Amino acid sequence: AEALLERDLGRVGLRAEVESAELRGIGWLPGTDLATRYLMPRYHQTRSRYHLHLRLRRPLSGPCVVGAGRHMGIGLLARAAW
């Protein structure tokens, strides 16, 4: 999973900006469902699904999406309050 994450961060131009990254099935935000419970198109259902906590070296402006589902609205990053 970490190799896929590194590849996907490189695809969106963020690999050099990453200070730390953590993948897990349970989300960090209250009310977030398990990553495996989010509905995906049939052709994406066999892919790994994780929640990502990403710490960057500098703030980003605008939306950022990462991963194979980024063109379908999956993988949208939200800014953490902490």
Side-chain angles (χ1 to χ4, degrees):
E2 287 81 13
L4 291 174
L5 175 61
E6 187 174 327
R7 181 199 68 194
D8 289 342
L9 289 171
R11 285 182 175 171
V12 296
L14 289 179
R15 187 180 306 144
E17 298 296 328
V18 175
E19 188 173 296
S20 66
E22 182 182 352
L23 295 167
R24 68 182 191 185
I26 300 170
W28 283 265
L29 300 174
T32 305
D33 209 345
L34 296 174
T36 55
R37 290 190 181 159
Y38 286 91
L39 296 177
M40 298 289 287
R42 184 170 296 162
Y43 58 90
H44 272 281
Q45 288 179 357
T46 59
R47 295 182 182 263
S48 301
R49 286 177 263 173
Y50 298 96
H51 289 286
L52 169 65
H53 184 266
L54 189 64
R55 185 176 302 274
L56 301 174
R57 299 182 199 290
R58 63 180 178 84
L60 289 179
S61 63
C64 183
V65 289
V66 176
R70 68 189 180 279
H71 301 294
M72 300 177 298
I74 305 296
L76 177 64
L77 302 180
R79 185 175 180 149
W82 62 91

